[in-house]
């Protein structure tokens, strides 16, 4: 059974007429009739009663129509979520960070802005050393890392976002 069979069946059920359903679907009536007959054979029960120039749903047809609508709605939601995920608008993002990098406030501000802009993306925040983050990036365990040093690795892109001032203190 294919989704188009369900769309065809819903159109026939709503139009209560093969000709009108065929026009609505922009297909010829004979192939539509064949598809519905094949669907009824696959389901194993009559879904429609042909009456004169129209049709009426059987009790089984009404139940099947409800399920078909739910299935099409579920498929549409799954498609929309897949598209949103491919655009980075939904899903999960694993982020490594050196816990001391939060002291200057830059990573927390970035996380807040990200959550505001992409509310359907879950952030998995993982405290890791810089070396652990580079390895996690190579192993696809995180997608983003806030690190302190930049190793020479052509497989990983990096960009400085802030500089920490380090002060050496000695006794007099």
């Amino acid at each position: 059974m294919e989704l188009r069979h369900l769309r065809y069946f819903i159109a026939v059920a709503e139009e209560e007429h093969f000709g009108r359903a065929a026009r609505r679907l922009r297909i010829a009536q004979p192939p539509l009739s064949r598809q519905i007959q094949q669907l009824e054979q696959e389901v194993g029960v009559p879904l429609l009663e042909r009456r004169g120039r129209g049709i009426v749903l059987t009790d089984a047809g009404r139940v099947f129509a409800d399920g078909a609508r739910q299935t099409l709605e579920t498929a549409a939601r799954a498609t929309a979520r897949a598209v949103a995920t491919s655009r980075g608008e939904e899903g999960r993002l694993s982020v490594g960070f050196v816990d001391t990098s939060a002291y200057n406030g830059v990573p927390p501000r970035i996380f807040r802005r990200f959550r505001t802009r992409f509310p359907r993306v879950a952030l998995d925040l993982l405290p890791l050393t810089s070396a652990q983050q580079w390895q996690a990036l190579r192993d696809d365990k995180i997608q983003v890392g806030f690190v302190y040093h930049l190793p020479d690795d052509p497989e990983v892109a990096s960009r400085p976002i802030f500089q920490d001032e380090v002060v050496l203190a000695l006794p007099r």
Side-chain angles (χ1 to χ4, degrees), residues 107-141:
R109 280 195 305 274
I110 292 171
F111 298 151
R112 278 192 298 277
R113 274 200 326 238
F114 183 87
R115 287 179 195 241
T116 299
R117 187 166 177 198
F118 301 100
R120 294 184 347 212
V121 176
L123 280 179
D124 295 328
L125 303 177
L126 305 167
L128 301 168
T129 66
S130 291
Q132 289 171 326
Q133 287 182 66
W134 287 110
Q135 189 59 50
L137 284 164
R138 283 193 278 292
D139 294 342
D140 276 337
K141 293 186 177 168

Side-chain angles (χ1 to χ4, degrees), residues 1-14 24-25 36 39 63-81:
M1 186 176 311
E2 298 177 29
L3 291 178
R4 74 180 154 87
H5 292 123
L6 301 180
R7 281 193 287 278
Y8 290 177
F9 177 74
I10 294 300
V12 171
E14 290 175 354
R24 172 174 152 183
L25 294 166
I36 298 301
L39 179 64
V63 169
F64 188 82
D66 288 342
R69 283 186 188 95
Q70 290 172 6
T71 299
L72 291 173
E73 289 167 7
T74 299
R77 280 193 306 275
T79 300
R81 289 191 69 203

Side-chain angles (χ1 to χ4, degrees), residues 33-124:
S33 295
R34 281 193 300 277
Q35 293 290 321
I36 298 301
Q37 286 173 346
Q38 289 171 358
L39 179 64
E40 287 180 309
Q41 288 172 353
E42 189 172 342
V43 173
V45 296
L47 302 172
L48 308 169
E49 286 181 22
R50 284 121 181 112
R51 290 199 182 152
R53 301 188 78 168
I55 63 100
V56 174
L57 291 176
T58 62
D59 289 340
R62 278 190 288 286
V63 169
F64 188 82
D66 288 342
R69 283 186 188 95
Q70 290 172 6
T71 299
L72 291 173
E73 289 167 7
T74 299
R77 280 193 306 275
T79 300
R81 289 191 69 203
V83 169
T85 299
S86 75
R87 289 190 214 148
E89 299 166 355
E90 187 171 319
R92 299 192 86 70
L93 183 67
S94 295
V95 180
F97 68 98
V98 177
D99 53 5
T100 56
S101 69
Y103 294 159
N104 68 15
V106 174
R109 280 195 305 274
I110 292 171
F111 298 151
R112 278 192 298 277
R113 274 200 326 238
F114 183 87
R115 287 179 195 241
T116 299
R117 187 166 177 198
F118 301 100
R120 294 184 347 212
V121 176
L123 280 179
D124 295 328

